[in-house]
């Protein structure tokens, strides 16, 4: 790979960001590939307190999670991108409708974003010659929200999602880690202020203090990651019809008044994804599950987990 002076690096970064927008990303920022010292301490404390619940993978490859150079030898830059998945369609306010998190209404974002990132990586290689780099979308121990914040794309809010002043928080995050030297963008500041709407709205008190989520109390954890046969009564009685994921903390965030509709057709809602009654979901068999959720994030819950979620949502709340 040829060397660049600062002016060439700045020009390359500008063209890279323009190409990212052309490929369908809403924003692109660049951070220096280096050890995440401060974040390492917070992650270690979160793990030691057991807030990752049964997600043991969060504790594996700790060294890679806090240092991108262990994932890509010689890495110099982390390129972060945002891709909106907001769709203007709203679920019908019909009692008994099963709720699926908005990010899972369309096709699996892992595949969609990886495809776009591979194109961006290929473009960069065409520009500078042979490089070493990898694309990441929730597929390796990469702290995506941290890198996006470091690259100036937003700040990590009290609900621990990344928030952009220009886009809100309804977007996916992806990264390229490359050995190409690029000028780094400056982080933005926190704009949550005194707002606690996400904390106040969480029915299970999962956001038990600002900027910390306890997975043991989180509806998204129990309806996606949990592999047990049942959901605890303390959670199932407060599901509010959520059967895959939960959007409550984002629904109430004031910054989402700036949300932008997705330009990616593959994220648009599949037929009947937002208006199917719990009783209808309860009748779904394995063949129907595989057909309805082919190339969908909902497959992560697996058939047994999805049916478990539906049963839990149908059960009356504890105080009924």
């Amino acid at each position: 790979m040829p060397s660049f002076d600062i002016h060439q690096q700045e020009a390359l970064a500008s063209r890279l960001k323009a190409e990212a927008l052309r490929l369908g990303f809403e924003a692109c920022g660049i951070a220096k590939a280096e050890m995440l010292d401060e974040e390492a301490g917070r992650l270690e404390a979160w793990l030691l307190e057991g807030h990752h619940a049964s997600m043991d993978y969060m504790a594996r490859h700790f060294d890679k999670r806090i240092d991108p150079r262990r994932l890509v030898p010689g890495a110099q830059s982390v390129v972060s991108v945002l891709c909106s998945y907001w769709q203007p369609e709203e679920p019908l306010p019909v009692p008994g409708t099963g709720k699926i998190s908005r990010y899972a209404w369309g096709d699996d974002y892992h595949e969609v974003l990886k495809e776009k990132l591979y194109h961006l990586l290929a473009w960069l290689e065409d520009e500078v010659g042979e490089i070493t780099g990898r694309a990441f979308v929730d597929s390796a121990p990469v702290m995506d929200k941290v890198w996006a914040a470091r690259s100036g794309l937003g700040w990590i809010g009290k609900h621990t999602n990344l928030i952009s002043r220009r886009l809100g928080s309804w977007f996916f995050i992806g990264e390229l880690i490359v050995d190409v030297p690029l000028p780094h963008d400056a982080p933005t500041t926190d704009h949550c202020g005194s707002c606690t709407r996400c904390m106040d709205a969480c029915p299970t008190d999962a956001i038990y203090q600002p900027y910390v989520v306890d997975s043991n109390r989180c509806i998204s954890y129990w309806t996606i990651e949990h592999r047990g046969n049942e959901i605890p009564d303390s959670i199932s009685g407060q599901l509010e019809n959520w059967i895959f994921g939960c959007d409550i903390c984002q629904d109430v965030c004031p910054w989402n008044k700036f949300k932008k509709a997705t330009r990616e057709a593959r994220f648009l809602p599949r037929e009947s994804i937002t208006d199917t009654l719990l009783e209808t979901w309860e009748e779904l068999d394995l063949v129907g599950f595989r057909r309805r959720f082919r190339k969908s994030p909902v497959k992560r819950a697996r058939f047994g987990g999805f049916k478990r979620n539906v049963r839990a949502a149908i059960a009356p709340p504890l105080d009924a």
Side-chain angles (χ1 to χ4, degrees):
M1 184 181 66
S3 60
F4 303 96
D5 63 34
I6 185 60
H7 300 295
Q8 291 172 318
Q9 291 178 20
E10 290 174 348
L12 177 61
S14 179
R15 297 199 306 275
L16 175 68
K17 293 175 181 179
E19 179 65 11
L21 297 182
R22 190 193 70 79
L23 288 170
F25 295 115
E26 269 65 55
C28 177
I30 303 168
K32 181 181 180 180
E34 60 185 354
M35 175 81 79
L36 298 172
D37 291 318
E38 181 180 344
E39 293 83 358
R42 289 200 293 264
L43 175 60
E44 184 176 28
W46 186 78
L47 292 168
L48 288 173
E49 291 169 2
H51 293 321
H52 59 308
S54 68
M55 295 182 290
D56 294 336
Y57 63 85
M58 293 292 295
R60 293 195 291 267
H61 306 296
F62 188 88
D63 57 338
K64 294 180 180 179
R65 201 174 292 275
I66 63 172
D67 190 346
R69 296 167 298 184
R70 292 182 176 271
L71 289 165
V72 177
Q76 298 195 53
S77 304
V78 180
V79 179
S80 294
V81 292
L82 307 181
C83 187
S84 173
Y85 62 84
W86 170 264
Q87 312 96 14
E89 179 176 325
E90 291 293 340
L92 295 176
V94 177
T97 299
K99 298 178 184 177
I100 292 175
S101 185
R102 189 179 292 269
Y103 87 86
W105 287 2
D107 287 358
D108 192 334
Y109 68 96
H110 298 87
E111 298 181 14
V112 177
L113 261 68
K114 272 284 186 71
E115 176 186 296
K116 294 177 183 291
L117 282 168
Y118 287 145
H119 284 304
L120 189 60
L121 185 61
W123 177 92
L124 184 59
E125 191 159 37
D126 286 342
E127 288 287 310
V128 303
E130 185 177 354
I131 63 175
T132 299
R134 293 175 61 185
F136 299 92
V137 184
D138 275 354
S139 55
V142 176
M143 299 179 72
D144 55 357
K145 291 179 286 188
V146 170
W147 288 114
R150 283 197 167 211
S151 68
L153 297 183
W155 72 96
I156 297 176
K158 292 178 181 176
H159 49 26
T160 74
N161 293 305
L162 188 79
I163 303 175
S164 162
R165 297 183 71 177
R166 189 169 60 86
L167 299 168
S169 65
W170 298 105
F171 47 71
F172 298 121
I173 305 173
E175 283 84 29
L176 292 180
I177 300 178
V178 296
D179 66 347
V180 181
L182 295 167
H184 314 132
D185 296 303
T188 186
T189 51
D190 188 312
H191 295 279
C192 283
S194 61
C195 178
T196 59
R197 291 189 190 181
C198 58
M199 301 175 67
D200 299 337
C202 181
T204 57
D205 196 29
I207 315 170
Y208 72 99
Q209 69 182 47
Y211 310 103
V212 183
V213 171
D214 184 355
S215 300
N216 296 286
R217 312 182 201 179
C218 180
I219 290 173
S220 285
Y221 163 75
W222 286 105
T223 58
I224 299 176
E225 301 289 346
H226 176 54
R227 291 293 175 251
N229 293 325
E230 301 298 333
I231 296 176
D233 291 342
S234 59
I235 303 297
S236 63
Q238 303 178 78
L239 284 179
E240 300 184 6
N241 288 8
W242 289 102
I243 56 176
F244 184 86
C246 175
D247 289 338
I248 293 173
C249 62
Q250 295 195 85
D251 281 330
V252 301
C253 179
W255 285 103
N256 274 325
K257 65 184 177 182
F258 297 113
K259 59 186 177 290
K260 288 191 176 181
T262 184
R263 295 182 288 160
E264 176 52 67
R266 287 171 287 184
F267 292 151
L268 296 178
R270 296 185 176 193
E271 183 179 359
S272 302
I273 198 74
T274 63
D275 59 3
T276 297
L277 297 175
L278 290 169
E279 286 75 10
T280 302
W281 285 127
E282 189 178 27
E283 297 171 359
L284 191 69
D285 60 16
L286 178 59
V287 173
F289 177 81
R290 288 174 173 170
R291 177 179 55 80
R292 290 287 295 269
F293 297 117
R294 181 175 177 271
K295 293 186 177 182
S296 163
V298 178
K299 291 189 303 181
R300 183 168 180 80
R302 304 177 186 176
F303 176 65
F306 183 80
K307 296 300 289 288
R308 172 205 63 205
N309 299 343
V310 173
R311 292 194 305 270
I314 290 175
L318 293 177
D319 58 356

